[in-house]
Amino acid sequence: PSRRAFPPSSRLPQGRGNLAAMLSLTYIARQSDGLLLVASMDSSASGLEQYKSQAKQLVKQLDNRTSSKCSIETGDCIFHYIVEAGICYLTLAEKSYPKALAFLYLQELKDEFETSLQQEFQDGWMDEVATTGKMYRFIRFDKNIQRKRREFADPSTSSNVRRMHEDLQQVQSIMRQNINDVLDRGNKLDDVANVSRSLATESKKYKWGARKLSLAAMWRQYMPLAVVGGVALVLLVVLWFR
């Protein structure tokens, strides 16, 4: 996947860098409409309000064209998320937190969440997720998130170092974006549409110009031959009537 970047938007707040270098916020949300199924925050982290707002906007903008794995920069922090089976698993960490470890954290959360739902709803767990209208329907899973957060809190532990070494290759190609790119996606698409219409108009305007340039090039190429041919024809006529 490609990496995209857009100019910052003055309408959006940026991170203040006052979070611990750990996984301070985790959301599990339905991909189709962004409904929050589970929300978990680290009570020791400060300055989370603006990030909570951004995270809610992000999960509401997910659709079938969304990358299945992505890192989204916001000030001094990064949102990391994965999307599988119609569910988004999103977390927030400072930029100093290893990206590979953040995605391993999300992957393990995903596996545990699916196992938990399968145990409770058997084969109907996906239907349960798709049809629920209740926000935080599976908030009891928060205790699993808190336990997993403690496991991943320190990237330097031997278990986390081993995790990263085992999974380093996979994380290299994950898409990376900017928070303004994602939250301003609607505006960006409108801009692209306007530019596209403008280009279509300009292409019509210059189509005839390009054709004239082509004819001029052909004239320059064949004009010497035409002149030589014309002179030769005049000489033949003169010689014929002498």
Side-chain angles (χ1 to χ4, degrees), residues 2 16 22 49 57 62 65 76 90 149 181 234:
S2 61
R16 298 189 183 97
M22 57 185 294
E49 288 306 314
Q57 292 180 65
L62 299 174
R65 298 168 297 175
D76 294 330
L90 177 146
R149 183 189 294 120
D181 168 19
V234 170

Side-chain angles (χ1 to χ4, degrees), residues 19 44 116 140 153 213:
L19 301 176
S44 66
S116 173
R140 61 187 176 278
L213 288 174

Side-chain angles (χ1 to χ4, degrees), residues 106-124:
L106 293 173
Q107 188 63 43
E108 291 192 18
L109 275 186
K110 192 243 1 155
D111 293 341
E112 285 195 18
F113 187 61
E114 288 186 357
T115 299
S116 173
L117 293 179
Q118 288 167 2
Q119 290 174 347
E120 184 173 359
F121 302 105
Q122 289 75 49
D123 293 340

Side-chain angles (χ1 to χ4, degrees), residues 124-136:
W125 71 270
M126 294 183 71
D127 289 336
E128 186 68 23
V129 170
T131 58
T132 185
K134 183 179 180 181
M135 186 176 290
Y136 308 124

Side-chain angles (χ1 to χ4, degrees), residues 161-172:
V161 170
R162 184 177 65 254
R163 281 176 168 123
M164 285 189 286
H165 280 301
E166 291 173 351
D167 200 62
L168 190 60
Q169 293 294 328
Q170 180 180 350
V171 81
Q172 295 301 319

Side-chain angles (χ1 to χ4, degrees), residues 15-242:
R16 298 189 183 97
N18 54 356
L19 301 176
M22 57 185 294
L23 306 163
S24 51
L25 179 153
T26 301
Y27 282 172
I28 300 178
R30 189 163 59 196
Q31 180 184 13
S32 61
D33 59 1
L35 179 73
L36 291 180
L37 306 172
V38 188
S40 179
M41 271 72 68
D42 178 8
S43 59
S44 66
S46 59
L48 278 180
E49 288 306 314
Q50 65 177 8
Y51 295 109
K52 289 164 62 177
S53 176
Q54 289 179 347
K56 289 175 182 178
Q57 292 180 65
L58 285 175
V59 297
K60 285 185 179 296
Q61 294 195 16
L62 299 174
D63 55 34
N64 293 332
R65 298 168 297 175
T66 300
S67 174
S68 61
K69 290 186 177 182
C70 190
S71 295
I72 303 171
E73 297 180 6
T74 172
D76 294 330
C77 296
I78 300 182
F79 286 110
H80 303 285
Y81 75 75
I82 63 174
V83 178
E84 291 194 32
I87 303 173
C88 173
Y89 305 83
L90 177 146
T91 192
L92 175 75
E94 278 200 345
K95 289 182 178 178
S96 59
Y97 191 89
K99 180 170 68 172
L101 197 58
F103 280 101
L104 284 168
Y105 164 76
L106 293 173
Q107 188 63 43
E108 291 192 18
L109 275 186
K110 192 243 1 155
D111 293 341
E112 285 195 18
F113 187 61
E114 288 186 357
T115 299
S116 173
L117 293 179
Q118 288 167 2
Q119 290 174 347
E120 184 173 359
F121 302 105
Q122 289 75 49
D123 293 340
W125 71 270
M126 294 183 71
D127 289 336
E128 186 68 23
V129 170
T131 58
T132 185
K134 183 179 180 181
M135 186 176 290
Y136 308 124
R137 169 71 173 81
F138 308 104
I139 193 62
R140 61 187 176 278
F141 191 73
D142 178 37
K143 64 181 185 297
N144 301 68
I145 297 177
Q146 292 182 32
R147 172 180 50 79
K148 190 63 66 176
R149 183 189 294 120
R150 289 192 294 270
E151 289 180 25
F152 281 79
D154 184 357
S156 64
T157 62
S158 58
S159 59
N160 285 334
V161 170
R162 184 177 65 254
R163 281 176 168 123
M164 285 189 286
H165 280 301
E166 291 173 351
D167 200 62
L168 190 60
Q169 293 294 328
Q170 180 180 350
V171 81
Q172 295 301 319
S173 62
I174 293 171
M175 178 179 286
R176 186 164 182 163
Q177 296 181 309
N178 183 277
I179 187 71
N180 299 299
D181 168 19
V182 180
L183 299 188
D184 282 348
R185 184 176 295 161
N187 293 334
K188 299 299 179 186
L189 292 176
D190 289 341
D191 291 344
V192 169
N194 291 334
V195 170
S196 179
R197 286 192 293 268
S198 177
L199 287 175
T201 301
E202 293 299 314
S203 66
K204 291 178 181 178
K205 182 189 300 183
Y206 291 108
K207 187 176 181 180
W208 171 239
R211 183 176 298 175
K212 288 194 294 184
L213 288 174
S214 178
L215 291 173
M218 290 178 61
W219 173 250
R220 286 194 301 270
Q221 180 179 355
Y222 296 109
M223 181 176 64
L225 294 177
V227 171
V228 171
V231 171
L233 181 60
V234 170
L235 289 175
L236 285 174
V237 171
V238 171
L239 291 174
W240 177 263
F241 288 101
R242 287 185 60 181

